[in-house]
Amino acid sequence: MQEYGYTKTIGVTLGVLTIIVAIGFGILSLIGMSLSKALNGTQNSSSMDSSVLIVFCLLLLCGFITAFESHKLKYKAWKMFYTGFCLLLGIGFVIIFFVSLGALGSKNEIFILCMGIIYFVLSYLVRKKK
């Protein structure tokens, strides 16, 4: 198999999953904020709108970087960046799993933990050139 075959396959799959998670988060937060405004007309949540939009854009950007930039690993600088990027996202998803323990439902929490573990595996595969 080619030099980064497994890495490219897992990177594209995980990137698509991250994009799906970002879209799901965006839709659910939009529904939640709309219901909040409908049920409580006096609350001003403009700061909450911008923070949700920032999180949505960051998740979407991380998904695109994971999916499409795994094909540039022949460059040493990009390989170093991609390894650190995957480690950082893996740590972030594992921390989010522990923070949200019992709040999101067991299926969603296990999904977040699995994404964190797969990001760790992806960083390992980049490091080993698999």
Side-chain angles (χ1 to χ4, degrees), residues 3 7 27 43 74 102:
E3 191 175 17
T7 303
I27 290 171
Q43 182 181 7
K74 59 185 174 184

Side-chain angles (χ1 to χ4, degrees), residues 17-99:
L17 282 175
T18 306
I19 292 169
I20 290 171
V21 165
I23 292 171
F25 170 76
I27 290 171
L28 289 177
S29 63
L30 180 67
I31 291 170
M33 286 187 302
S34 299
L35 286 174
S36 171
K37 288 178 183 177
L39 295 175
N40 189 6
T42 61
Q43 182 181 7
N44 185 6
S45 63
S46 61
S47 64
M48 186 175 220
D49 293 343
S50 63
S51 64
V52 168
L53 183 64
I54 290 171
V55 170
F56 170 71
C57 289
L58 284 176
L59 272 174
L60 208 57
L61 180 68
C62 290
F64 281 121
I65 288 174
T66 303
F68 299 120
E69 303 301 324
S70 63
H71 299 286
K72 294 183 180 179
L73 293 174
K74 59 185 174 184
Y75 305 114
K76 185 176 181 178
W78 188 254
K79 178 183 164 188
M80 298 275 292
F81 170 76
Y82 198 74
T83 304
F85 175 76
C86 290
L87 277 175
L88 187 66
L89 282 178
I91 291 169
F93 276 117
V94 170
I95 288 173
I96 289 172
F97 165 75
F98 285 116
V99 167

